[in-house]
Amino acid sequence: MASETPERSAALPGSVKVGTATIGTSESMAGGSDWSEGYVTEIGYIHGYCRELDPGAMRLACLSAGVAYQESEELRYLELGYGQGLSINIHATAIDGDFWGTDFNPAQTAHARRLAQASGSGVRLLNDSFKELAHRPDLPEFDIIALHGIWSWISDANRRAIVEIVRKRLRVGGLLYVSYNCLPGWAGAMSVRHLMTLHAQHGSPDLAGPTAKIDAAVSFAQQLADCGARYFKANPFALNRLQEIGRQNRNYLAHEYFNRDWRLMNFSDVSKSLESAKLSFAASAALLEHVDTLHLPLEGQKLVAQIRHPVLKESVRDYFVNQQFRRDIFVKGLRCLTPLERQEAWLKERFVLVKHQKDIPRTVPGGQGDATLHEEVYSPLIEVLAEDSYAPKTVEYLVRHPRLESLQFPQISESLLVLVGAGHLQRAQSPSQASRARCRALNAHLCHRSRIDGDIGFLASPVTGGGVPVSRADQLFILAMQQGTEQSIALADFARGLMAKNGIEMFTEGKRIDSSEGRMTALAGLAEQFATRSLPILRALEVI
């Protein structure tokens, strides 16, 4: 859970924010109940969506790495530790299949089940612990078992239970997705976490709530740095991490830093732990990491290319990029694709833009800093992808398109991978009528919910089979459209009325917009952006 995409503001980047985040207010940090096993349960986790949990994204990562994967006739999927349940509900809604999940926090299970009821997906959301799940006799074999942000924050006994579940319930040829905090990137800042948890245990009043304890712990660590502690002088990375922590959502921090169990591992340690379940490393689920030119210097690329052993190879890459968080895909029964199989599979893949072509930057982040995308490759490719009102297109269609005839197949496939990894493009599927109906139902529920709560910034797309970022403001505009409102100024007026009725605030550059005229002006700008940029995309994705 710890690295799910955090809540998103409902506005243009850096301009206007609609609504404020809610922070839990329970009376103590985790560890007071036997069933929690030291995991934070008394402050709610963020309502994040993790696109790496998307089965389609996992398939693409395997294809990119040249690893074969073929699921059963009916996809069977298990998520361990689904948190508030947004990711599993979106995937069970947008994809036809048999979806299961478990999370031992009953409050989170209740929330996840409400989403499932709204969509009618039939996803089976259990409230079992990992140890209980390992002994359930009714679990089928799964094509995919996934856990995001769990592995580092649980006990050794629970990790063993997860390995047992995977050993018994992942079919031969199936995939495991697992993400975790890792070394060497965390080495410079792990003592910051130790200091904060120590202060939360011994430096705050017993009656202080969890949010107050977190605030006090962060403030104390910063005070220590300000007083000239040599640790922070010797470890500037730790100081930067502390300052970043101070800006983050407290619900997120509670689960990221303040659990009783908190284990950092090297990639080789995790790989070794999964050997008893007969798993081999397949690929990173972080697609930008597949492009070495974005992350490694030229000499580093040459060195890594010479390494044949996959565990050593990945470990060396981690040192080059100072890896802090890994998103790994393992497979039970590794088979590599031949070059011909790989190219034929690529040609059948379909992709769809999830951003307006004018909103796609020409740089992407990498281990060597921001990299500039080659204009002669990416501009015509994006323009072709935007043709026909952003309809999905196969790679075979792109390769044969007259505008792209000067590009070689490897250029097109790598560029698609970069655009997906940067979040501008997604793999597309052929949606069924059932998935379309489920998505309409879930999206209607989420948009209706946005009137009173802005904690979910995603809607489901039957075209991508996953979640699409949709801000709170855009969700309010969708509600207006459902009532027959079309013009931008009318959309803005509708949203202003809902905001006034429900006490929703607006901010720009960190300052609250107090006047009615100011709010209307800001909303009018957002509504125009929605009508001209967001709406064509949302229609192509069948979100609305």
Side-chain angles (χ1 to χ4, degrees), residues 58 61-62 175-178 280-285 327-331:
M58 295 185 206
C62 288
L175 303 180
L176 172 73
Y177 166 79
V178 56
S280 302
F281 177 72
S284 170
R327 300 168 174 86
D328 291 338
I329 299 172
F330 289 81
V331 62

Side-chain angles (χ1 to χ4, degrees), residues 15 105 126 166-167 177 251 364 450 462 480 484 489 529 531:
S15 57
N105 186 327
L126 308 177
V166 174
R167 186 185 68 80
Y177 166 79
N251 298 60
V364 293
S450 71
I489 194 67
Q529 179 83 1

